[in-house]
Amino acid sequence: MATSSRTLWKGAITFGLVHIPVGLHTASIEQGVDFDWLDKRSMDPVGYKRINKKTGKEIDKDNIVKGFEYEDGKYVVISPDEIAAAYPRTTQTIEIQRFIDANEIPFLYLERPYYVAPINKGQKVYALLREVLIKSGKVGLAKVVIATKQHLAVLVPSGKALVLNLLRWGDEVKTLEGLDLPAAGVKGANVTAAEMKMAEQLVGDMSGRWNPEDFKDEFKHAVMKIVQKKVKAGDTETVIQPEEEAPEESSNVIDLTELLQRSLKGGKAKKADAPASKKRNAKPAAKSAGTARKAASKKTSASAKKAA
């Protein structure tokens, strides 16, 4: 049964004078099993206290400041106003900087994918961008701000969809320095012709088509079997979680013909009306993305603490 996908972010793809209203949807699911902490006496969710690691005492949030460790044990304290001033300007746009060949980006720069879907009657111009990327073999290198964090990203056609894959920044990818790697090339690595032939034969024998359904997370499936067995036996508990607000819908009509004509003539772009208003749209979008990130962080922390 089909399920609806919650919109995490609303904005627009922009390049030249073209403005395509879109929404972002998660395209991946975290693997593994996350266990939430519950109070066994009441089945209430268990949170975390702010503890002074030296004294072991709980402290009030008003006494907490944010510090950046620039050397071992040495910190610079950054005020909330300084942090707010440093945040990138939220434009609610996926701003394409340039179009590049699809095979130019090394796979290790890819970080997290999002499905991009058109909204507010933007289907036609969305389809136009998708088809021209497919025909040209190009992808769009873009910048986008999600939940106050700026990302480098690549817009890639994938079947009927456009996928926005967040990228790691250049300084986040390590060099090969310090790795003990064999020399490049068959001769440099001292690989014989016989060894190469046998390796090629083995690769050929083991080759097949890509099918993600062929591979499963065995631990996850084993845990889910336990869960299903307990559910069937009625061995369950009810936990009340806070509800999240659904993002506001809006309407915005695009005149594709006008945009394309004005782009070809080199005209200036009109200021596109934000879906509702900038103030109304930016806050719920940042809140939705931030809420999703905090929820994921909470589960990861819980898993890490339990493992410890």
Side-chain angles (χ1 to χ4, degrees):
M1 187 172 91
T3 56
S4 60
S5 176
R6 185 169 65 88
T7 304
L8 299 179
W9 179 95
K10 284 185 179 181
I13 298 171
T14 63
F15 63 100
L17 302 181
V18 179
H19 175 93
I20 311 171
V22 295
L24 291 188
H25 304 257
T26 54
S28 61
I29 300 173
E30 295 295 332
Q31 292 299 312
V33 179
D34 291 327
F35 297 100
D36 291 331
W37 284 6
L38 305 172
D39 187 329
K40 69 178 182 180
R41 300 166 297 180
S42 61
M43 286 296 113
D44 293 328
V46 176
Y48 306 97
K49 292 183 177 181
R50 299 177 178 88
I51 301 296
N52 182 312
K53 293 182 179 181
K54 185 175 181 180
T55 64
K57 295 181 179 180
E58 185 177 359
I59 61 175
D60 188 87
K61 66 178 181 180
D62 293 336
N63 291 322
I64 296 177
V65 295
K66 293 185 177 181
F68 179 83
E69 187 176 23
Y70 66 95
E71 287 182 8
D72 189 22
K74 295 184 179 294
Y75 287 80
V76 169
V77 174
I78 310 294
S79 71
D81 289 341
E82 290 171 321
I83 293 174
Y87 276 138
R89 185 171 59 92
T90 301
T91 60
Q92 295 303 118
T93 58
I94 300 169
E95 186 178 353
I96 297 178
Q97 306 289 304
R98 69 184 65 166
F99 293 99
I100 63 176
D101 290 340
N103 59 1
E104 276 193 58
I105 301 178
F107 73 91
L108 56 82
Y109 280 84
L110 303 179
E111 185 171 25
R112 177 175 296 179
Y114 290 93
Y115 288 128
V116 182
I119 58 175
N120 303 331
K121 299 183 180 181
Q123 284 82 358
K124 187 174 182 179
V125 66
Y126 176 97
L128 175 61
L129 176 58
R130 179 191 65 200
E131 296 305 317
V132 76
L133 289 178
I134 292 173
K135 186 173 182 179
S136 64
K138 301 287 187 179
V139 295
L141 194 62
K143 286 184 178 180
V144 60
V145 176
I146 302 175
T148 71
K149 184 177 180 181
Q150 187 180 57
H151 299 272
L152 184 64
V154 60
L155 196 64
V156 182
S158 179
K160 294 194 300 182
L162 288 173
V163 174
L164 186 76
N165 205 315
L166 302 186
L167 300 175
R168 296 178 175 90
W169 296 100
D171 57 3
E172 293 179 333
V173 176
K174 293 183 177 181
T175 67
L176 300 178
E177 186 178 356
L179 300 179
D180 185 15
L181 303 174
V186 174
K187 290 184 179 180
N190 294 322
V191 175
T192 67
E195 290 169 336
M196 192 68 179
K197 184 177 180 180
M198 287 187 291
E200 288 176 344
Q201 183 179 350
L202 179 59
V203 170
D205 291 343
M206 295 180 63
S207 294
R209 296 185 64 83
W210 161 246
N211 183 5
E213 298 300 321
D214 291 341
F215 305 93
K216 306 289 184 183
D217 182 336
E218 295 179 4
F219 173 71
K220 177 182 176 181
H221 282 269
V223 171
M224 291 310 299
K225 284 183 179 180
I226 297 173
V227 171
Q228 291 166 5
K229 183 178 179 180
K230 287 180 176 286
V231 169
K232 189 175 181 179
D235 185 9
T236 63
E237 302 290 348
T238 299
V239 178
I240 300 175
Q241 298 285 358
E243 296 181 359
E244 294 183 10
E245 294 181 1
E248 295 181 11
E249 293 296 331
S250 56
S251 60
N252 187 24
V253 179
I254 286 186
D255 187 339
L256 174 58
T257 303
E258 179 189 355
L259 286 174
L260 292 175
Q261 287 177 343
R262 295 180 66 243
S263 295
L264 291 173
K265 292 178 181 179
K268 293 183 179 180
K270 293 180 180 179
K271 291 185 179 180
D273 292 332
S277 74
K278 286 187 178 180
K279 291 184 179 179
R280 288 181 61 192
N281 186 55
K283 290 185 178 179
K287 181 179 179 181
S288 297
T291 302
R293 184 176 61 183
K294 288 179 181 177
S297 176
K298 176 183 174 183
K299 287 192 173 184
T300 302
S301 300
S303 300
K305 289 194 175 185
K306 287 204 167 189

